[in-house]
C-alpha cells in the first residue's frame, strides 16, 4: 500500500511497484491509510510523512499501538536526523528522504519484503523455542518479550535484533551483523539505524538505560546481550 498525498509521486511509486509484480493500493491521507491497512492487511506500507488528516508519524504510532507488524517504509522531505530518528523510534522499519531514486526505493521494498517473509517462516518453524538471557525472555512463536515477568512492547525491528542476540548470549554482534538481521544485505541502510534500535531497546529492558547492564556496548566491535546476575561481583 502507498500512502502519499502528492498524486504525481503516488502514481510514480505505484507504476514502479506494479512493474515489479506487486498489487498496489494508493491512498492520499493518514486516516485513509489506517482504514485501508485494517481492511486489506497489506504486506508493506510505503508511507509519506507529510499528509492531511493524520501525518505519517501518527499513522505509524497508531499501527504499532495496535500491534500491527507490517513493514513500514517512510518517505520524508524532512532531512534532519531528529526527524528521521523519530520515525524509527515510533516503529518505522526504514526511511528515505525526498528526492529519492525510484530504483533505490524498489531495492528497499524488496529488502523489507524478504526480511518480513523470512521472519514469518522462522516464526512458524517448529524448531523455534523460547530464548532466555537471565530475566530477559524472548518468545519467537508469540513474538513476545518480557523482563522479570513484565511484558515489553517492541517494534518489529527491535524484536529482530533482540531475538538474534538472545540466540547467543555473551556473543558480540557487529553492527553489520545486526543490520543484516534487520534488512539483509542492503548497502543503502545506515549503521545509525542499528544504534537507534539499540538505544530504544535499552529504554525498554534496562533499569537505567544510560548505565546498561543487559545490552552492552563492546567499543570498536558492536553489542552483546548478557545476564547481569552472572556478571555481578560476588560479595566477599
Amino acid at each position: 500500500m502507498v500512502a502519499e498525498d502528492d498524486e504525481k509521486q503516488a502514481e510514480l511509486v505505484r507504476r514502479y511497484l506494479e512493474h515489479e509484480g506487486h498489487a498496489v493500493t494508493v491512498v492520499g491521507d493518514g486516516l485513509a491509510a489506517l482504514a485501508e491497512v485494517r481492511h486489506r492487511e497489506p504486506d508493506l506500507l510505503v508511507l509519506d510523512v507529510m499528509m492531511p488528516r493524520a501525518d505519517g508519524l501518527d499513522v505509524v504510532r497508531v499501527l504499532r499501538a495496535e500491534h500491527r507488524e507490517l513493514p513500514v517504509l517512510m518517505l520524508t522531505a524532512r532531512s534532519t536526523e531528529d526527524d528521521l530518528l523519530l520515525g524509527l523510534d515510533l516503529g518505522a522499519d526504514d526511511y528515505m528522504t525526498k528526492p529519492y531514486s525510484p530504483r533505490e526505493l524498489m531495492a528497499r521494498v524488496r529488502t523489507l519484503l524478504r526480511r518480513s517473509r523470512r521472519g514469518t517462516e522462522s516464526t512458524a518453524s517448529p524448531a523455534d523455542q523460547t530464548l532466555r538471557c537471565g530475566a530477559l525472555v524472548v518468545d519467537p512463536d508469540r513474538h513476545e518479550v518480557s523482563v522479570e515477568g513484565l511484558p515489553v512492547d517492541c517494534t518489529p525491528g527491535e524484536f529482530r535484533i533482540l531475538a538474534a542476540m538472545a540466540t547467543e548470549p555473551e556473543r558480540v554482534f557487529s553492527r553489520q551483523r545486526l543490520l543484516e538481521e534487520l534488512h539483509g544485505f542492503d548497502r543503502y541502510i545506515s549503521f545509525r539505524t542499528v544504534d537507534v534500535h539499540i538505544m530504544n531497546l535499552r529504554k525498554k529492558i534496562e533499569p537505567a538505560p544510560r548505565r546498561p547492564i543487559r545490552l552492552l556496548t563492546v567499543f570498536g566491535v558492536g553489542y552483546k546481550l548478557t545476564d547481569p546476575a552472572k556478571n555481578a561481583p560476588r560479595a566477599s
Side-chain angles (χ1 to χ4, degrees), residues 67-131:
H67 304 289
R68 297 181 186 274
E69 298 176 3
L70 80 160
V72 176
L73 193 163
M74 300 195 76
L75 305 177
T76 175
R78 300 170 174 174
S79 59
T80 66
E81 187 177 64
D82 287 346
D83 289 325
L84 301 177
L85 298 186
L86 177 58
L88 292 174
D89 190 21
L90 292 173
D93 295 273
D94 195 8
Y95 60 81
M96 293 186 67
T97 56
K98 299 179 180 181
Y100 54 83
S101 161
R103 292 181 63 186
E104 180 181 344
L105 176 64
M106 294 305 106
R108 296 201 186 194
V109 165
R110 288 193 296 270
T111 297
L112 287 174
L113 287 174
R114 283 196 302 268
R115 175 69 262 181
S116 176
R117 287 162 184 162
R118 284 202 300 270
T120 301
E121 291 166 1
S122 63
T123 300
S125 170
D128 283 337
Q129 55 186 330
T130 300
L131 306 170

Side-chain angles (χ1 to χ4, degrees), residues 29-49:
D29 66 75
L31 293 184
L34 288 171
E36 287 299 306
V37 166
R38 291 162 179 157
H39 175 64
R40 297 180 182 272
E41 298 186 353
D43 296 306
L44 182 141
L45 173 61
V46 179
L47 177 66
D48 186 34
V49 171

Side-chain angles (χ1 to χ4, degrees), residues 146-172:
S146 65
V147 176
E148 297 181 354
L150 299 176
V152 176
D153 189 17
C154 292
T155 68
E158 292 164 4
F159 185 87
R160 287 195 290 270
I161 284 180
L162 202 56
M165 300 182 76
T167 61
E168 298 184 74
E170 305 298 335
R171 173 188 168 181
V172 179

